[in-house]
Amino acid sequence: MIVHPIPPLYDGESKILILGSFPSVKSREVGFFYGHPQNRYWKVVSAVFGETCPQTIPQKKEFLHRNHIAAWDVIRSCDITGSSDSSIKNVQANDLTQILDAADIRQIFVNGKTAEKMYKKYIQPEILRPCICLPSTSPANAAWSLDRLIGAWKVIRTEETL
């Protein structure tokens, strides 16, 4: 059983919540979300907001705060082999109420089908809020080019969420 080592990132100004499934081995090593250099998350979200891609963890945190994005994952703990979403078993979900109570979250997005499946199974029945599934930024989602991902992810930046 591996317990999620990264605390949620949010503040009172957060308007959108983006949830992954569970941090990769590399993200757990570096101690922050989407830490694998091949994951396209930071390239995608920075392009959506018309900004330079943040490189360091402090820059990434500043980027998220500046753009009113809260970040966390659906799963609090699980059994997982390496970083393989398909190997996830014995799931315990994160409690999102700490974020939802502190911020005016207008929309919840999930990064990929595994996050969506876990969200709908473990979290949505508790908080009664739907999510919007975005195509995964993982390098395993090779069918989606960077430009195609950016196009799909533009939905996070709407008048409703800003």
Side-chain angles (χ1 to χ4, degrees), residues 9-70:
L9 186 127
Y10 65 96
D11 62 23
E13 301 298 313
S14 298
K15 303 286 186 234
I16 64 175
L17 173 57
I18 302 175
L19 299 168
S21 54
F22 192 75
S24 68
V25 170
K26 188 66 177 169
S27 294
R28 296 191 306 262
E29 285 173 5
V30 302
F32 201 64
F33 304 101
Y34 308 103
H36 194 289
Q38 299 305 311
N39 193 299
R40 297 167 290 176
Y41 178 86
W42 296 108
K43 290 178 183 172
V44 169
V45 293
S46 59
V48 165
F49 285 89
E51 295 195 25
T52 302
C53 186
Q55 299 300 313
T56 66
I57 291 172
Q59 288 172 348
K60 291 172 181 179
K61 289 179 178 181
E62 162 114 4
F63 170 85
L64 294 173
H65 286 307
R66 183 172 57 250
N67 290 292
H68 311 293
I69 300 169

Side-chain angles (χ1 to χ4, degrees), residues 89-106:
K89 294 183 178 83
N90 301 316
V91 169
Q92 292 186 351
N94 273 317
D95 179 359
L96 301 185
T97 58
Q98 63 181 295
I99 298 171
L100 300 176
D101 290 348
D104 177 24
I105 299 296
R106 298 178 183 176

Side-chain angles (χ1 to χ4, degrees), residues 79-133:
D79 293 324
I80 185 170
T81 303
S83 300
S84 170
D85 278 357
S86 62
S87 73
I88 292 173
K89 294 183 178 83
N90 301 316
V91 169
Q92 292 186 351
N94 273 317
D95 179 359
L96 301 185
T97 58
Q98 63 181 295
I99 298 171
L100 300 176
D101 290 348
D104 177 24
I105 299 296
R106 298 178 183 176
Q107 186 62 62
I108 299 171
F109 297 94
V110 291
N111 186 352
K113 293 291 185 188
T114 300
E116 178 186 39
K117 179 177 145 190
M118 298 296 172
Y119 179 90
K120 287 182 172 181
K121 182 173 182 177
Y122 296 103
I123 294 179
Q124 190 168 336
E126 298 294 319
I127 66 169
L128 305 175
R129 289 186 63 170
C131 66
I132 294 173
C133 184

